[in-house]
Amino acid sequence: MRKEKIRPDDYSRRERPKTRLKQFFDIFVHRFLELLKLSLLQTVFNMPLLITIFLFWMLLQNSSTEQAVMAVFLIQGATLVLCLPFSFVGLTGSFYAIKKLIYAEGEFASSSFFYGLKEEWKKGLVIGLIAGFSAAIAVIGAYFFIFSTYDLFAWVRGFGIAIIVIQLIVVLMVCYYSVAQSIVYTNKISSILKNSFLISLMRFPINLGLLILYPTTFIALICIMPITMYVGLGLMVFTSAFGHLVWMLNAVSAFDKFINKEQFPDYYRKGLYKEETKEE
């Protein structure tokens, strides 16, 4: 198999940022165009999902009967199972390219995207299927508890909605960490999912904040009203890689804390300035 070509570091170790937060701003400023290109590449894989979300709200607004509303929710749930795997396949390429930027390996983003896609698309597909089924449960469950259970107590509906929302939140966290793990380490998918679940719980407040920032806010803008829909679509098309950068930096920080420091010292704080070591 042809090996990926890796250029020398773009800057010396002494010039590297000292924290992952500073690294975000460093990459944002110096790699802005590459992140923009990654966003456009990811949009190709997000397109089916964006189209189904748009059609869902258009059909829902024109549904005048309970049967029509139920049909819209069921169709949306089914399409999420089909569309999210495609998005997560693209995410493997995006995360791989961003990993190269974080680890200061100086690789051009577009070539890294396609290389990561070729190497990790199968794991991305499996992870995307998990996310798709979780999202489908959330959408269909929302219909069941909001529109078709008027004879149940309010607290029962509220409890049911809370359960389906929490499961979706946790699954999405696990899926983002799983893609990041598949890019950084060589593990079986079962080990990746288990480790990602544990890290998701241990860093739940941080993960929840990031999940609200991206992609929840972007999707919410698409769904609120026609004006905000165009804003949300524009953000998804042109800035999705910036959200991926935040998630990948968060994942790498978690890996440094829980995995790399003891098990993979060569990866510990990789890409950051190391005062006490001459070589990484």
Side-chain angles (χ1 to χ4, degrees):
M1 181 181 295
R2 184 176 62 86
K3 297 294 185 180
E4 182 187 20
K5 295 181 180 179
I6 299 177
R7 296 197 314 239
D9 292 346
D10 284 352
Y11 44 83
S12 68
R13 288 172 172 78
R14 290 185 176 275
E15 295 174 321
R16 294 179 184 175
K18 295 183 178 181
T19 66
R20 297 298 180 191
L21 179 61
K22 291 181 180 179
Q23 191 176 34
F24 168 80
F25 292 105
D26 183 76
I27 294 174
F28 182 89
V29 172
H30 295 99
R31 300 292 193 144
F32 184 88
L33 291 179
E34 291 186 16
L35 291 173
L36 182 60
K37 292 177 183 177
L38 278 177
S39 297
L40 296 176
L41 288 170
Q42 180 66 43
T43 298
V44 176
F45 293 86
N46 286 342
M47 194 60 67
L49 178 63
L50 296 176
I51 291 173
T52 58
I53 293 175
F54 174 77
L55 293 177
F56 170 74
W57 287 104
M58 292 293 293
L59 292 172
L60 191 61
Q61 291 176 0
N62 293 303
S63 300
S64 57
T65 65
E66 183 176 344
Q67 290 77 12
V69 172
M70 180 179 68
V72 170
F73 273 85
L74 290 175
I75 293 172
Q76 178 64 13
T79 54
L80 285 172
V81 176
L82 299 175
C83 294
L84 275 175
F86 200 55
S87 294
F88 272 85
V89 167
L91 192 63
T92 60
S94 182
F95 269 30
Y96 187 88
I98 291 171
K99 185 208 74 169
K100 292 290 185 181
L101 300 180
I102 292 173
Y103 283 168
E105 292 173 338
E107 184 67 12
F108 182 63
S110 297
S111 60
S112 291
F113 179 90
F114 292 109
Y115 185 85
L117 203 64
K118 181 183 70 174
E119 294 294 314
E120 303 296 342
W121 71 269
K122 293 180 181 178
K123 290 180 181 177
L125 185 64
V126 173
I127 296 168
L129 282 170
I130 295 172
F133 278 110
S134 177
I137 290 172
V139 169
I140 296 173
Y143 166 78
F144 179 79
F145 288 110
I146 295 174
F147 293 100
S148 65
T149 55
Y150 300 108
D151 56 332
L152 294 179
F153 292 110
W155 70 268
V156 175
R157 292 200 298 270
F159 181 76
I161 293 171
I163 292 297
I164 60 175
V165 170
I166 290 172
Q167 68 85 23
L168 179 61
I169 289 173
V170 173
V171 168
L172 288 178
M173 291 177 183
V174 171
C175 288
Y176 275 113
Y177 276 115
S178 295
V179 174
Q181 272 199 82
S182 69
I183 296 303
V184 177
Y185 309 105
T186 303
N187 291 326
K188 295 181 179 179
I189 190 66
S190 58
S191 298
I192 289 174
L193 292 172
K194 181 188 72 173
N195 293 337
S196 296
F197 177 73
L198 294 175
I199 294 174
S200 297
L201 295 183
M202 288 187 286
R203 293 169 64 92
F204 188 84
I206 295 175
N207 297 332
L208 181 61
L210 293 181
L211 199 63
I212 292 173
L213 177 66
Y214 179 87
T216 304
T217 299
F218 290 18
I219 295 175
L221 287 171
I222 296 174
C223 299
I224 292 174
M225 61 181 66
I227 296 177
T228 60
M229 177 185 69
Y230 294 109
V231 176
L233 287 173
L235 289 173
M236 287 292 288
V237 170
F238 295 106
T239 67
S240 60
F242 297 90
H244 297 166
L245 173 62
V246 173
W247 267 104
M248 192 64 189
L249 282 169
N250 174 61
V252 168
S253 178
F255 299 159
D256 283 345
K257 181 178 181 180
F258 299 116
I259 301 175
N260 295 338
K261 191 172 184 180
E262 299 294 334
Q263 300 182 40
F264 300 100
D266 289 342
Y267 279 178
Y268 181 66
R269 290 178 55 82
K270 187 175 182 181
L272 298 179
Y273 172 71
K274 296 181 182 181
E275 184 175 358
E276 298 180 357
T277 59
K278 294 182 179 180
E279 298 291 337
E280 291 184 340

